[in-house]
Amino acid sequence: MDTPPSTSSAAAASRRATDPDSALVSAVADALVSSSRLPTLPPMGAVLGPYLPRLTASHHPRVLALAAANPWLASPHALIAYRRLVSPPSCLASLLPLLPVLPYRNLFPLLLDFVPLDPLRRLHRHLLMSPPTAALADAALSAYARLRLPHLAAQLLHSFRRRGGVRPSLQAANAVLSALARCPTTSTQASLDAFRSLIGLRLFPNHYTFNLLVHTHCSKGTLADALSTLSTMQGFGLSPDAVTYNTLLNAHCRKGMLGEARALLARMKKEGITPTRPTYNTLVSAYARLGWIKPATKVVEAMTAFGLEPDQWTYNVLAAGLCQAGKLDEAFRLKDKIERLGIVSPDVVTYNTLVDACFKWQRSSDAHILLEEMRDKGVKASLVTHNIVVKGLCREGQLEEALGRLKMMAEEGLAPDVITYNTLVDACCKAGNVAKAYVLMDEMMRKGLKMDTFTLNTLLYNLCKEKRYEEAEELLHSPPQRGFVPDEVSYGTMMAAYFKEYNPEPALHLWDEMIERKLTPTIFTYNTLIKGLCRMGRLKEAIDKLNEVMEKGLVPDETTYNIIIHAYCKEGDLENAFQFHNKMVENSFKPDVVTCNTLMNGLCLHGKLDKALKLFKSWVEKGKKVDVVTYNTLIQTLCKAGDVDMALHFFADMEVRGLQPDAFTYNVVVSALSEAERSEEAQNMLHKLTESGKLSESFSYPLMKSSVEEVETGKDPDVKPDTETGGNAQGDDQENYRKRVNELCIGGQVKEAKAVLDEMMQKGLSVDSSTYITLMEGLIKRQKRQTHAAG
């Protein structure tokens, strides 16, 4: 083997006599080059033993640069080993000399380790300024993609296109597209820009490239753009494959667009693309999710006829669909059938689905029978199984039994996870036992489980619900000794609670504090603030915040628009309310039933019944969804206007549309019939209501306030909707109201009793059926007496 020449020239040798540092650097570089040429790389400590005591941090970059430039370097492993031994992983200076000489297989793992240790993005700035090798370009793009830093990957890809001279591989460019597709915060435009850079770099896209674009459009809900991608694909001489169509099918099915999904399946077959098992499973899942079990079963039959046997996933999806529709007995029969025929054996997913449904539909005894059956058949319960049982027991208020599952899990060799503890912490808080919640949190910490913000936010929500604001503030500002750190949801939870108490100043202080802590508000947090300001009547400030949302590049959602529309309606400014509605449509947002109810409520409250009826007609003709609140709003307004026949027309139309009138509907209609001296019709309706069983033991309905509450709580993920009753105080209120109603009825003061009933329902308090029937019958009898006296 040839002996490599010394790294230093004669001139360098001359300098070494006067520069000990240079002599040391040259000697170490020579040692690295020599060791790289050996059949097996010796331990670096042995190679550098004489030099290590004299080496300092300033020497390492020079050593690596000198060794890397030596043409006799046989392998880069010696350089990597040297850096690993003497230099901190986060030292950029010692990394830079390696970047031009290392191949992709060495660069990729090196960058995966380095990038997370480089928060100031010094390496990224270096790559943007200095043209990298092709191997480095691929490694950097792939590392950013793997580390879920798609914005850095895209920025680097665009820079390669602008500068020229560097052309990464298609595989690396596809990795960027994949990372952008997976990131929930990036827009479809970012993916399209990356695709354009890919084309600008003269990279020829393949099926995987286009399937990523289709997936991106589908995940963002832009299905028309996803379909148009097929034409672009054909422009490059490529045809959609099964993956392309399966992605499109899945997206359309998730949107409930089953007609379009069937058309896609037909188009797929027409183009000669063979449907796969996932193709059929997607359709089965879509039908099952909607509770359409017959069509789902037909798809399974078509799948079998096509030569594809249904698999475990197919049957599990069918069982899940039955369970979701509340058809538990049919789900049990399906399980027994596939077991009896030996098609597939129920697995842990099957049992988990059934057990979860049993708890959900209040059949806990069946859930426990299933758990015993699992044990008997040797199907081992998973962590998910235990979490389902813990959640089910907590939902039923059996907190002690739920806590007992922790011991059972330990006996089965399973460790509770964050979900287990979060469920128990939430249940303890709801039970008013916050002290036990803290004990569980400490137990989590001892077991090495990192408490997430869900744990913190659960505590904050429940403390605020109990109006224990001082404790909530203390928890929010406590040092993060338990491992959780407040996020924008934590602040949003407390802000919403303060706004609900009509106490805006602490809420606004928390907003300022959140901004100071560099927590970036999401659109959901902005919605909390905008909603709170609107509730306080500070609409101008709310609009200012909406403008701020736009300036920051955030996209307002349907909830944002609904909040503002409701605020304008509340102030009687219907013109601006409808302008915002139009702006909502212009910005490609689809007004939902909450929008309709809000506008309808505003029109009715301000005496514009004709416009409300036109809005309803327009809404229905467009095939948009209406609900019980929509009808109740119109029925009440028509009854107040004395147009009982039109109100009855809408009452009948409700049932035609499959909407069940509730207690509020009957209350309004029966009262209106009585007051219109149509006592017989009122009596018949009341009897029909009683005989049908629609009048449950107790019911409640918050009059016109309902559409407002939908806007204020139904669409804001930052704050849990307050769906539970207010405890003993509310129970006392209910009892006092019932007594007043009964006393007034006994005394013949039916009109006054009716006013009390209306007040109860306005507050959302439940009314027992006997009180309701007594009052309505009294109202009808009074009207009959008045009619008889007048005659």
Side-chain angles (χ1 to χ4, degrees), residues 20-92:
D21 274 359
S22 296
L24 177 62
V25 166
S26 296
V28 174
D30 287 344
L32 291 175
V33 172
S34 298
S35 65
S36 76
R37 300 180 64 79
L38 297 173
T40 304
L41 184 69
M44 198 52 53
V47 173
L48 304 175
Y51 311 111
L52 282 175
R54 291 181 288 154
L55 284 171
T56 64
S58 63
H59 294 130
H60 307 320
R62 294 166 60 193
V63 168
L64 288 165
L66 198 59
N70 193 314
W72 285 80
L73 182 73
S75 163
H77 294 297
L79 306 186
I80 296 171
Y82 172 78
R83 182 177 185 272
R84 189 177 294 126
L85 177 70
V86 299
S87 179
S90 60
C91 179
L92 179 65

Side-chain angles (χ1 to χ4, degrees), residues 206-208 210-211 229-245 271 273:
N206 58 13
H207 275 96
Y208 183 59
F210 282 106
N211 286 341
T229 304
L230 302 187
S231 303
T232 311
M233 193 175 188
Q234 288 163 353
F236 283 87
L238 298 171
S239 299
D241 58 10
V243 175
T244 320
Y245 275 107
E271 291 180 7
I273 300 167

Side-chain angles (χ1 to χ4, degrees), residues 501-522:
E501 292 291 321
Y502 291 91
N503 190 6
E505 297 314 316
L508 295 172
H509 173 74
L510 285 170
W511 174 267
D512 293 336
E513 183 182 307
M514 183 177 69
I515 301 301
E516 285 173 15
R517 292 186 65 168
K518 309 293 185 190
L519 289 172
T520 305
T522 63

Side-chain angles (χ1 to χ4, degrees), residues 19 203 222 271 285 295 313 380 448 472 488 493 528 541 592 627 637 733 785:
D19 185 0
L203 298 173
T222 51
E271 291 180 7
S285 176
W313 192 89
K380 190 176 179 182
E488 71 281 355
T493 301
T528 300
E541 292 175 61
D592 56 14
D627 61 9
T637 309
D733 282 348
R785 285 196 302 270

